[in-house]
Amino acid sequence: MKVVISIIISLLSCLSLSAQSATEYFNVGNPIKYCGTKYSLVWSAQPQENYFVQEYLPKGETLEHYNQMFTVSVIFWDRTPLEAVQAKIAELEVRKKSDPITKYMVAENNGDYILEFLVSDSSNGKMNTVEVDVHYYRQMTINSKKASVLCFYSGRAYGDDILPFIQSIPEKRNAWYEGMSNLKLNPKFPKK
């Protein structure tokens, strides 16, 4: 039993340490200010050689149970923002089969695209979490290479907060879209 407890404590320590020491693969500012809230870097990954993700949370929030999160990802390839949006929509169409709350809207802004979508998580017939994501897709050239940059805001509600959260989405939508359009983050990678 003591061995199991020691292993669990070690794993929790590693998780806590990794959250505190996220690698900044690229610079977009830290904190990022979006719609009046400051988001600080808490997690990052390089899932593939050409793909980088950084997640930011407001003070006091955790990755395990957050209400708001901001993410910036960069992938070096020739794919257009429209192709990326179409791929995400295909995922959402599949999700609709098991998550009836799933819905989405797309807006175009001078060749950039905003995709807003709503998804949920349920168990035993009860909705546990609802999440709205606002994705902003841009194509850029970074260090002389073509890249897709995805900035996105994620808002979540749990339990009894779900219905008021869903009802508040329409009044927040314009601020989210305007905030994304005006943010214009420009990821800067160290030159090699």
Side-chain angles (χ1 to χ4, degrees):
M1 183 70 171
K2 287 182 181 179
V3 172
V4 171
I5 291 172
S6 295
I7 291 170
I8 290 171
I9 290 171
S10 295
L11 286 171
L12 290 174
S13 296
C14 289
L15 288 173
S16 174
L17 181 61
S18 68
Q20 293 172 358
S21 60
T23 299
E24 189 174 54
Y25 291 104
F26 53 85
N27 182 1
V28 285
N30 188 19
I32 292 172
K33 190 171 181 185
Y34 173 70
C35 290
T37 301
K38 290 182 181 177
Y39 298 81
S40 298
L41 180 64
V42 294
W43 183 86
S44 62
Q46 185 180 0
Q48 298 172 3
E49 186 180 338
N50 63 336
Y51 180 36
F52 304 85
V53 182
Q54 295 183 178
E55 293 184 342
Y56 302 76
L57 290 174
K59 188 175 184 180
E61 302 246 7
T62 65
L63 289 170
E64 296 75 26
H65 190 88
Y66 67 84
N67 291 305
Q68 297 184 89
M69 179 172 65
F70 198 90
T71 302
V72 181
S73 66
V74 178
I75 186 163
F76 290 94
W77 61 4
D78 290 334
R79 198 175 202 179
T80 67
L82 180 57
E83 290 171 313
V85 168
Q86 290 169 335
K88 188 64 182 179
I89 287 172
E91 285 178 30
L92 293 169
E93 286 293 335
V94 170
R95 185 181 180 111
K96 276 185 179 183
K97 295 172 186 169
S98 60
D99 180 7
I101 201 167
T102 299
K103 58 181 155 183
Y104 58 87
M105 297 180 355
V106 180
E108 190 264 344
N109 180 34
N110 297 322
D112 297 342
Y113 285 84
I114 295 175
L115 172 64
E116 175 194 327
F117 58 92
L118 186 69
V119 293
S120 69
D121 177 54
S122 301
S123 59
N124 301 322
K126 182 180 177 191
M127 195 175 300
N128 301 313
T129 308
V130 167
E131 179 176 318
V132 64
D133 285 1
V134 180
H135 285 200
Y136 191 79
Y137 297 85
R138 297 173 63 208
Q139 192 166 30
M140 302 179 69
T141 301
I142 301 172
N143 294 353
S144 303
K145 296 180 193 169
K146 282 188 180 177
S148 289
V149 177
L150 169 59
C151 298
F152 76 87
Y153 166 79
S154 178
R156 281 188 180 172
Y158 306 85
D160 293 340
D161 295 329
I162 289 175
L163 186 57
F165 174 76
I166 290 172
Q167 291 170 336
S168 74
I169 290 172
E171 69 191 44
K172 295 176 181 176
R173 183 171 288 129
N174 285 342
W176 289 337
Y177 289 16
E178 189 175 311
M180 282 295 181
S181 297
N182 293 334
L183 199 53
K184 300 293 186 198
L185 294 179
N186 188 6
K188 294 191 181 354
F189 282 77
K191 297 211 174 183
K192 294 181 180 180

